[in-house]
Amino acid sequence: MSQEKISKIAVFPGSFDPITIGHEAIIRRALPLFDKIIVAIGKNTVKKNLFALEDRMEWIKIALKEFEDKVEVAAFDGLTMNFCKERDAQFILRGLRTSVDFEFEYSISQINRQIGDIETIFLFTDPVYTPISSSIVRDIYLHGGDFSSLIPKGIKLIKNEE
Ligand code: ADP
């Protein structure tokens, strides 16, 4: 009997405005769980992003360069579950920091399973990354502080001047 191996593909959706060492740690920890991880920037959120889409994608690529055969960076419009279908991804990957993250993720993950047949896999953050968020990095950036220890090495943040 032939047993065709189905690749386990996960989409890690977010704004990544910009990628932080918290995001990077989640991706690194998830690598052994999946054959491929697509880090996907959702384009049509109501949020106004500080950094340009192309820059945000480039910074993710720089951070995960050593895993370029397993980690792809993409952008998408519309529902995450539709993007997962387009890319044959069976899983959504999300990181959890606090109960606030949990409350937000809970119903979305149930809907993605009920109507999209997509399982969401949650990884609790390592405690050292609990206080780190893109919004904190943006705040420090905008007020001239030193955020360098909060973002992956080799990345130089430049604001979108459009
Ligand atoms: P979103 O706008 O969808 O929350 P983000 O780019 O802020 O997008 O985050 C993408 C994912 O990364 C989310 O699952 C979020 O909970 C997770 N995440 C963000 N910061 C951290 C962190 N410091 N530790 C673990 N997970 C995190």
Side-chain angles (χ1 to χ4, degrees):
M1 200 171 74
S2 83
Q3 284 206 322
E4 201 183 321
K5 187 180 175 301
I6 297 171
S7 291
K8 291 201 285 279
I9 303 174
V11 167
F12 185 36
S15 320
F16 303 101
D17 189 34
I19 184 170
T20 69
I21 55 172
H23 296 126
E24 181 187 0
I26 293 289
I27 298 165
R28 285 175 181 266
R29 283 170 55 203
L31 278 165
L33 306 177
F34 303 105
D35 297 303
K36 182 179 187 176
I37 298 175
I38 305 172
V39 185
I41 301 185
K43 287 197 283 187
N44 69 342
T45 57
V46 280
K47 286 188 202 166
K48 172 109 181 68
N49 295 296
L50 181 65
F51 298 107
L53 175 66
E54 296 70 29
D55 291 336
R56 285 180 281 146
M57 292 178 74
E58 187 56 30
W59 297 332
I60 300 168
K61 285 182 193 158
I62 292 170
L64 282 313
K65 178 109 189 71
E66 67 197 276
F67 307 110
E68 60 192 350
D69 53 331
K70 272 190 88 172
V71 178
E72 184 188 325
V73 183
F76 70 100
D77 280 310
L79 292 177
T80 307
M81 70 171 91
N82 290 347
F83 179 70
C84 291
K85 296 275 179 239
E86 271 169 39
R87 304 303 307 270
D88 291 324
Q90 313 92 325
F91 305 99
I92 290 173
L93 171 67
R94 296 288 284 176
L96 290 177
R97 284 162 292 187
T98 61
S99 56
V100 177
D101 278 350
F102 174 81
E103 293 296 339
F104 179 76
E105 300 289 344
Y106 182 69
S107 50
I108 299 174
S109 69
Q110 287 178 328
I111 287 294
N112 280 329
R113 199 163 77 83
Q114 270 177 34
I115 67 173
D117 198 24
I118 311 269
E119 285 285 3
T120 304
I121 307 296
F122 293 103
L123 293 183
F124 281 107
T125 191
D126 185 296
V128 294
Y129 302 118
T130 302
I132 301 175
S133 65
S134 297
S135 65
I136 282 179
V137 172
R138 291 196 299 275
D139 250 13
I140 301 173
Y141 172 89
L142 287 171
H143 294 97
D146 181 6
F147 51 81
S148 57
S149 62
L150 307 179
I151 60 170
K153 289 190 181 61
I155 293 174
K156 180 145 177 38
L157 299 187
I158 301 163
K159 203 170 110 189
N160 184 7
E161 295 300 348
E162 270 171 33

